[in-house]
Amino acid sequence: SGSICAMLAATERTMESRQQRASKGEWGGGVDAFGYQAVEGALVPNCAERDIVVRMFTDVAAGMPAAQVAAWLRTEGIRTRQRERNGKTVGGKWFTSDSVKAVIRNVVHKGFLVHNEQLFRGEHQPIVSEELWERANRAIAPKADRRLLRLEEDKHGHLLKGILVCGHCGSALTPHPASKKDADGRPYLYYVCS
């Protein structure tokens, strides 16, 4: 029972130490993200992988599906990083749609760290800008999430924007103000084929 208590106390101290490091923006160890390498306990961009990460983000943000990004990575012979763990070789696999999305979703690439579901600005150099990270993550969001993001950005309350389609040609219907106004002077909306 004494050894169990000692182990629990050591685990608690380790967790507190990692929390403190994260709150200061210091990397707490573990597996370094693709695009980075651990140097003396800090994350440093990996020269060979940094440009690959930038291209992945740029292509996804431009609308290229993650599966297509994985395909060009295979064509270029680029695999996930290979490591030794507990005497076994892990990694070194072909990128898949899911592993591309995992790179895109990783906040480390925009200069942040996550610990206990809290986000901290890291002291490491970001590989991509926050704006590029956001655009790429919007592009890989599920369609329902993208629609909700559009609705959140819509300051005019166009609740059916992005949902209604023309029954004749299938194009999106877009909101337009009518000449008639409500009691507050705001025009009523109607939807027309784009």
Side-chain angles (χ1 to χ4, degrees):
S1 120
S3 63
I4 293 174
C5 289
M7 283 184 1
L8 290 173
T11 302
E12 192 172 316
R13 283 193 303 274
T14 301
M15 291 174 70
E16 286 174 3
S17 171
R18 285 190 176 162
Q19 178 73 28
Q20 287 174 348
R21 287 179 60 85
S23 66
K24 294 177 188 173
E26 298 172 357
W27 182 58
V31 178
D32 43 347
F34 187 82
Y36 287 95
Q37 61 192 45
V39 177
E40 296 178 6
L43 285 179
V44 177
N46 177 305
C47 295
E49 296 172 353
R50 178 184 52 214
D51 292 341
I52 298 165
V53 170
V54 170
R55 183 173 168 194
M56 290 167 79
F57 272 89
T58 304
D59 287 352
V60 168
M64 184 182 286
Q68 195 173 338
V69 173
W72 73 249
L73 288 165
R74 280 192 299 277
T75 302
E76 299 286 326
I78 300 166
R79 296 174 181 254
T80 63
R81 190 181 307 140
Q82 190 170 318
R83 299 178 165 88
E84 292 295 322
R85 186 182 302 154
N86 300 330
K88 294 182 180 178
T89 302
V90 296
K93 299 182 189 274
W94 293 115
F95 275 92
T96 64
S97 176
D98 286 342
S99 56
V100 167
K101 288 177 182 178
V103 169
I104 299 299
R105 288 187 183 113
N106 195 334
V107 297
V108 168
H109 295 111
K110 66 173 179 173
F112 285 81
L113 299 168
V114 174
H115 183 74
N116 284 342
E117 298 181 17
Q118 288 182 282
L119 194 64
F120 301 97
R121 184 170 292 282
E123 62 180 18
H124 62 281
Q125 178 186 349
I127 291 179
V128 298
S129 68
E130 289 182 50
E131 188 268 336
L132 178 58
W133 189 93
E134 295 292 338
R135 281 194 297 124
N137 274 270
R138 282 182 194 275
I140 63 168
K143 287 184 182 180
D145 291 351
R146 286 199 298 264
R147 185 178 65 77
L148 289 173
L149 287 169
R150 284 197 307 271
L151 290 175
E152 286 172 10
E153 291 171 350
D154 188 352
K155 297 174 178 64
H156 305 292
H158 303 133
L159 297 178
L160 300 176
K161 183 177 177 183
I163 297 172
L164 294 178
V165 293
C166 175
H168 179 69
C169 70
S171 296
L173 296 182
T174 55
H176 286 277
S179 55
K180 190 173 180 182
K181 298 186 176 168
D182 66 15
D184 295 327
R186 290 177 300 205
Y188 288 108
L189 298 174
Y190 64 100
Y191 290 80
V192 296
C193 180
S194 58

